[in-house]
Amino acid sequence: MIESLVHLFDKYHLVAAFAVIGLAMYVAYWISNNLTRGKLHGSAIAIILGLVLAYVGGATTGGSKGLSDVTLFSGLGLMGGGMLRDLAIIATAYGVNLKEIRQTGFRGVVALFVGVLISFVAGGGVAIAFGYTDPVDITTIGAGAVTYIVGPVTGATLGASSEVVALSIAAGLVKSILTMVATPMTARLIGLDNPRSAMIFGGLIGTTSGVAAGLAATDARLVPYGAMTATFYTGLGILLAPTVLFLAVRAVM
């Protein structure tokens, strides 16, 4: 039976990718429910498992693409690519009530700009505190604190080194995991219990994966609203970080 599975996975790499992700999610949610009693969300554990698997794959093969460097699991490269990621993000919009979006209005737009600026300043401040003085490096790390998607896009645009781009991705991942864990714990304190507050929350925090997982642990009905503004947040960060924010950092430094 094992030989049959190996043959199937070797022939259909995308099937193998779905199997690996499905198993990782099952293990992550089992750990969440049985070992942490739901205090640590399954999505956060799944990301940690993914990072471990990526390290193991890279260390074993000497490659740079994580577990997808292993031929048997090369389908992970396609599954984790932009195509399916963007499809998953866009699909969340189908659960949105347009009336709620209109009622959020100006407050949602303000939340987007405030969220991007606060995250960028926080990330750039940490970069400066650790001795970075090059505006390109500071901007890239600050953009990573916006989200782990904005960081590498900004770094590639400005010509940052691979080490700095990696730091920006790490900053975004830490933010995403913290959002997943902290959202259900603080939801009652901040009034995160309706579509409008979810949209403002998504605009302020911005990391789509973190917001979606955190809201799923709080109230699954809020996920489409938070994910929608978080997606706009990512787009706004990609527009502002390598242009306006980079020029601002260069002027200050």
Side-chain angles (χ1 to χ4, degrees):
M1 181 177 177
I2 295 178
E3 292 182 359
S4 299
L5 287 175
V6 171
H7 177 72
L8 177 66
F9 288 174
D10 190 46
K11 187 175 182 181
Y12 301 104
H13 292 160
L14 192 57
V15 173
F18 274 99
V20 170
I21 297 302
L23 180 61
M25 293 298 294
Y26 176 83
V27 171
Y29 276 86
W30 185 90
I31 293 173
S32 174
N33 294 330
N34 293 278
L35 300 184
T36 72
R37 296 183 180 179
K39 293 182 179 179
L40 184 59
H41 196 266
S43 297
I45 298 174
I47 286 183
I48 295 172
L49 290 177
L51 292 173
V52 171
L53 290 174
Y55 172 78
V56 171
T60 302
T61 63
S64 59
K65 298 180 180 179
L67 199 59
S68 63
D69 283 318
V70 179
T71 304
L72 196 63
F73 304 119
S74 59
L76 289 168
L78 174 61
M79 187 179 181
M83 179 181 67
L84 291 179
R85 180 202 66 207
D86 293 342
L87 176 63
I89 293 173
I90 292 169
T92 62
Y94 286 95
V96 167
N97 185 331
L98 293 178
K99 181 180 178 181
E100 296 290 350
I101 295 177
R102 288 194 296 268
Q103 290 178 346
T104 304
F106 181 70
R107 289 170 292 184
V109 176
V110 171
L112 287 172
F113 282 91
V114 171
V116 169
L117 288 175
I118 290 176
S119 295
F120 182 83
V121 170
V126 171
I128 293 173
F130 277 87
Y132 288 93
T133 57
D134 187 345
V136 171
D137 295 343
I138 295 171
T139 302
T140 301
I141 295 173
V146 175
T147 77
Y148 58 80
I149 295 175
V150 176
V153 170
T154 301
T157 302
L158 299 178
S161 65
S162 58
E163 291 82 5
V164 171
V165 171
L167 284 175
S168 75
I169 296 173
L173 285 173
V174 170
K175 177 184 176 182
S176 181
I177 293 173
L178 288 176
T179 302
M180 293 177 189
V181 175
T183 299
M185 296 180 181
T186 59
R188 290 184 180 180
L189 296 176
I190 62 177
L192 189 55
D193 56 5
N194 62 80
R196 273 170 284 178
S197 63
M199 290 186 69
I200 294 172
F201 178 75
L204 286 172
I205 302 299
T207 170
T208 307
S209 56
V211 166
L215 290 177
T218 305
D219 185 344
R221 294 172 296 180
L222 302 179
V223 172
Y225 299 97
M228 172 169 283
T229 47
T231 303
F232 283 123
Y233 173 106
T234 300
L236 181 64
I238 290 173
L239 287 174
L240 292 180
T243 54
V244 176
L245 296 178
F246 168 66
L247 293 176
V249 171
R250 190 169 66 176
V252 171
M253 299 302 294

